[in-house]
Amino acid sequence: MNAKDKFRFVRKNMKKNKTRVFMTVLATAMGCAFLIVLASVGFGLQKSIVDRMLQDSLVTKITVYPKMTEKTDQPPPNTGQGPGVF
């Protein structure tokens, strides 16, 4: 069976099973579309979450408090500056 015979065989079976060919093509197209939509939603959601986290001051600021004294577990007397925010 040479290539010409194989091509004729495939073409004959495609004409014979039109519904099967249509359903296969449709399923393949829907699968590709689903993957594209899923990837787009995933990347958009990731960007949205990262942007929201970077806007929050809990993630982007560091607050430094003075050292506690050993005897009373209280901060030293107020020097008038308060906690440092960087």
Side-chain angles (χ1 to χ4, degrees), residues 21-43:
V21 171
F22 173 74
M23 295 298 283
T24 302
V25 169
L26 182 66
T28 304
M30 287 175 61
C32 290
F34 177 73
L35 289 176
I36 291 169
V37 168
L38 191 63
S40 299
V41 168
F43 285 126

mmCIF file of all heavy atoms in Angstrom, residues 21-43:
data_model
loop_
_atom_site.group_PDB
_atom_site.id
_atom_site.type_symbol
_atom_site.label_atom_id
_atom_site.label_comp_id
_atom_site.label_asym_id
_atom_site.label_seq_id
_atom_site.Cartn_x
_atom_site.Cartn_y
_atom_site.Cartn_z
ATOM 1 N N VAL A 21 -15.878 12.905 12.118
ATOM 2 C CA VAL A 21 -14.830 13.873 11.804
ATOM 3 C C VAL A 21 -15.205 15.245 12.374
ATOM 4 O O VAL A 21 -14.373 15.932 12.982
ATOM 5 C CB VAL A 21 -14.590 13.950 10.279
ATOM 6 C CG1 VAL A 21 -13.681 15.104 9.936
ATOM 7 C CG2 VAL A 21 -14.025 12.642 9.767
ATOM 8 N N PHE A 22 -16.465 15.649 12.192
ATOM 9 C CA PHE A 22 -16.924 16.937 12.704
ATOM 10 C C PHE A 22 -16.793 17.000 14.222
ATOM 11 O O PHE A 22 -16.312 18.001 14.774
ATOM 12 C CB PHE A 22 -18.380 17.193 12.283
ATOM 13 C CG PHE A 22 -18.975 18.409 12.902
ATOM 14 C CD1 PHE A 22 -18.610 19.670 12.463
ATOM 15 C CD2 PHE A 22 -19.883 18.308 13.947
ATOM 16 C CE1 PHE A 22 -19.147 20.812 13.037
ATOM 17 C CE2 PHE A 22 -20.425 19.432 14.531
ATOM 18 C CZ PHE A 22 -20.057 20.689 14.075
ATOM 19 N N MET A 23 -17.205 15.946 14.917
ATOM 20 C CA MET A 23 -17.128 15.932 16.377
ATOM 21 C C MET A 23 -15.666 15.967 16.856
ATOM 22 O O MET A 23 -15.355 16.621 17.851
ATOM 23 C CB MET A 23 -17.835 14.685 16.929
ATOM 24 C CG MET A 23 -19.321 14.672 16.671
ATOM 25 S SD MET A 23 -20.178 16.022 17.453
ATOM 26 C CE MET A 23 -20.236 15.452 19.108
ATOM 27 N N THR A 24 -14.785 15.305 16.142
ATOM 28 C CA THR A 24 -13.373 15.320 16.514
ATOM 29 C C THR A 24 -12.778 16.712 16.345
ATOM 30 O O THR A 24 -12.062 17.216 17.226
ATOM 31 C CB THR A 24 -12.588 14.304 15.660
ATOM 32 O OG1 THR A 24 -13.163 13.007 15.851
ATOM 33 C CG2 THR A 24 -11.124 14.279 16.047
ATOM 34 N N VAL A 25 -13.069 17.352 15.228
ATOM 35 C CA VAL A 25 -12.566 18.703 14.979
ATOM 36 C C VAL A 25 -13.150 19.680 15.996
ATOM 37 O O VAL A 25 -12.435 20.537 16.543
ATOM 38 C CB VAL A 25 -12.878 19.145 13.531
ATOM 39 C CG1 VAL A 25 -12.601 20.616 13.334
ATOM 40 C CG2 VAL A 25 -12.098 18.309 12.546
ATOM 41 N N LEU A 26 -14.434 19.554 16.279
ATOM 42 C CA LEU A 26 -15.091 20.428 17.254
ATOM 43 C C LEU A 26 -14.484 20.246 18.654
ATOM 44 O O LEU A 26 -14.197 21.236 19.347
ATOM 45 C CB LEU A 26 -16.592 20.146 17.288
ATOM 46 C CG LEU A 26 -17.415 21.014 18.221
ATOM 47 C CD1 LEU A 26 -17.400 22.465 17.739
ATOM 48 C CD2 LEU A 26 -18.848 20.502 18.287
ATOM 49 N N ALA A 27 -14.261 19.019 19.056
ATOM 50 C CA ALA A 27 -13.683 18.757 20.381
ATOM 51 C C ALA A 27 -12.260 19.307 20.478
ATOM 52 O O ALA A 27 -11.875 19.878 21.510
ATOM 53 C CB ALA A 27 -13.691 17.260 20.666
ATOM 54 N N THR A 28 -11.497 19.171 19.409
ATOM 55 C CA THR A 28 -10.133 19.702 19.408
ATOM 56 C C THR A 28 -10.138 21.224 19.505
ATOM 57 O O THR A 28 -9.377 21.817 20.275
ATOM 58 C CB THR A 28 -9.392 19.255 18.135
ATOM 59 O OG1 THR A 28 -9.423 17.829 18.068
ATOM 60 C CG2 THR A 28 -7.960 19.735 18.137
ATOM 61 N N ALA A 29 -11.014 21.871 18.742
ATOM 62 C CA ALA A 29 -11.100 23.333 18.780
ATOM 63 C C ALA A 29 -11.562 23.821 20.162
ATOM 64 O O ALA A 29 -11.020 24.800 20.689
ATOM 65 C CB ALA A 29 -12.057 23.819 17.697
ATOM 66 N N MET A 30 -12.543 23.147 20.740
ATOM 67 C CA MET A 30 -13.021 23.549 22.070
ATOM 68 C C MET A 30 -11.941 23.354 23.127
ATOM 69 O O MET A 30 -11.801 24.175 24.035
ATOM 70 C CB MET A 30 -14.280 22.747 22.440
ATOM 71 C CG MET A 30 -15.504 23.172 21.669
ATOM 72 S SD MET A 30 -16.949 22.147 22.005
ATOM 73 C CE MET A 30 -17.182 22.404 23.741
ATOM 74 N N GLY A 31 -11.168 22.289 23.021
ATOM 75 C CA GLY A 31 -10.081 22.052 23.975
ATOM 76 C C GLY A 31 -9.015 23.129 23.898
ATOM 77 O O GLY A 31 -8.550 23.629 24.921
ATOM 78 N N CYS A 32 -8.645 23.506 22.684
ATOM 79 C CA CYS A 32 -7.651 24.577 22.518
ATOM 80 C C CYS A 32 -8.174 25.902 23.063
ATOM 81 O O CYS A 32 -7.458 26.633 23.747
ATOM 82 C CB CYS A 32 -7.274 24.725 21.052
ATOM 83 S SG CYS A 32 -6.317 23.334 20.425
ATOM 84 N N ALA A 33 -9.426 26.221 22.759
ATOM 85 C CA ALA A 33 -10.025 27.464 23.248
ATOM 86 C C ALA A 33 -10.087 27.471 24.776
ATOM 87 O O ALA A 33 -9.807 28.487 25.419
ATOM 88 C CB ALA A 33 -11.420 27.650 22.666
ATOM 89 N N PHE A 34 -10.428 26.337 25.365
ATOM 90 C CA PHE A 34 -10.493 26.235 26.821
ATOM 91 C C PHE A 34 -9.127 26.481 27.450
ATOM 92 O O PHE A 34 -9.015 27.184 28.458
ATOM 93 C CB PHE A 34 -11.039 24.866 27.225
ATOM 94 C CG PHE A 34 -11.082 24.653 28.706
ATOM 95 C CD1 PHE A 34 -12.031 25.306 29.483
ATOM 96 C CD2 PHE A 34 -10.182 23.818 29.328
ATOM 97 C CE1 PHE A 34 -12.072 25.123 30.850
ATOM 98 C CE2 PHE A 34 -10.209 23.632 30.689
ATOM 99 C CZ PHE A 34 -11.165 24.284 31.453
ATOM 100 N N LEU A 35 -8.082 25.910 26.865
ATOM 101 C CA LEU A 35 -6.741 26.120 27.407
ATOM 102 C C LEU A 35 -6.314 27.578 27.320
ATOM 103 O O LEU A 35 -5.697 28.115 28.248
ATOM 104 C CB LEU A 35 -5.732 25.235 26.673
ATOM 105 C CG LEU A 35 -5.824 23.747 26.971
ATOM 106 C CD1 LEU A 35 -4.847 22.970 26.102
ATOM 107 C CD2 LEU A 35 -5.558 23.474 28.436
ATOM 108 N N ILE A 36 -6.645 28.239 26.230
ATOM 109 C CA ILE A 36 -6.292 29.655 26.067
ATOM 110 C C ILE A 36 -7.026 30.509 27.095
ATOM 111 O O ILE A 36 -6.440 31.380 27.737
ATOM 112 C CB ILE A 36 -6.590 30.117 24.628
ATOM 113 C CG1 ILE A 36 -5.612 29.447 23.663
ATOM 114 C CG2 ILE A 36 -6.502 31.634 24.506
ATOM 115 C CD1 ILE A 36 -5.955 29.611 22.208
ATOM 116 N N VAL A 37 -8.325 30.252 27.267
ATOM 117 C CA VAL A 37 -9.114 31.019 28.242
ATOM 118 C C VAL A 37 -8.604 30.762 29.657
ATOM 119 O O VAL A 37 -8.452 31.696 30.457
ATOM 120 C CB VAL A 37 -10.614 30.666 28.121
ATOM 121 C CG1 VAL A 37 -11.408 31.202 29.296
ATOM 122 C CG2 VAL A 37 -11.173 31.200 26.815
ATOM 123 N N LEU A 38 -8.316 29.519 29.975
ATOM 124 C CA LEU A 38 -7.841 29.175 31.315
ATOM 125 C C LEU A 38 -6.499 29.846 31.617
ATOM 126 O O LEU A 38 -6.299 30.376 32.719
ATOM 127 C CB LEU A 38 -7.723 27.661 31.450
ATOM 128 C CG LEU A 38 -7.499 27.106 32.835
ATOM 129 C CD1 LEU A 38 -8.683 27.430 33.727
ATOM 130 C CD2 LEU A 38 -7.306 25.608 32.767
ATOM 131 N N ALA A 39 -5.602 29.845 30.655
ATOM 132 C CA ALA A 39 -4.307 30.497 30.860
ATOM 133 C C ALA A 39 -4.480 32.003 31.026
ATOM 134 O O ALA A 39 -3.838 32.624 31.877
ATOM 135 C CB ALA A 39 -3.378 30.198 29.682
ATOM 136 N N SER A 40 -5.354 32.615 30.241
ATOM 137 C CA SER A 40 -5.582 34.060 30.343
ATOM 138 C C SER A 40 -6.148 34.435 31.704
ATOM 139 O O SER A 40 -5.705 35.404 32.328
ATOM 140 C CB SER A 40 -6.546 34.516 29.247
ATOM 141 O OG SER A 40 -6.015 34.263 27.974
ATOM 142 N N VAL A 41 -7.118 33.666 32.179
ATOM 143 C CA VAL A 41 -7.710 33.939 33.490
ATOM 144 C C VAL A 41 -6.669 33.756 34.586
ATOM 145 O O VAL A 41 -6.571 34.565 35.514
ATOM 146 C CB VAL A 41 -8.935 33.029 33.734
ATOM 147 C CG1 VAL A 41 -9.386 33.081 35.181
ATOM 148 C CG2 VAL A 41 -10.073 33.420 32.813
ATOM 149 N N GLY A 42 -5.853 32.727 34.492
ATOM 150 C CA GLY A 42 -4.822 32.480 35.503
ATOM 151 C C GLY A 42 -3.802 33.604 35.578
ATOM 152 O O GLY A 42 -3.463 34.077 36.660
ATOM 153 N N PHE A 43 -3.302 34.057 34.425
ATOM 154 C CA PHE A 43 -2.313 35.142 34.426
ATOM 155 C C PHE A 43 -2.932 36.454 34.911
ATOM 156 O O PHE A 43 -2.297 37.220 35.637
ATOM 157 C CB PHE A 43 -1.706 35.326 33.033
ATOM 158 C CG PHE A 43 -0.719 34.251 32.668
ATOM 159 C CD1 PHE A 43 -0.877 33.530 31.501
ATOM 160 C CD2 PHE A 43 0.350 33.956 33.491
ATOM 161 C CE1 PHE A 43 0.021 32.535 31.149
ATOM 162 C CE2 PHE A 43 1.253 32.970 33.155
ATOM 163 C CZ PHE A 43 1.088 32.253 31.989
#
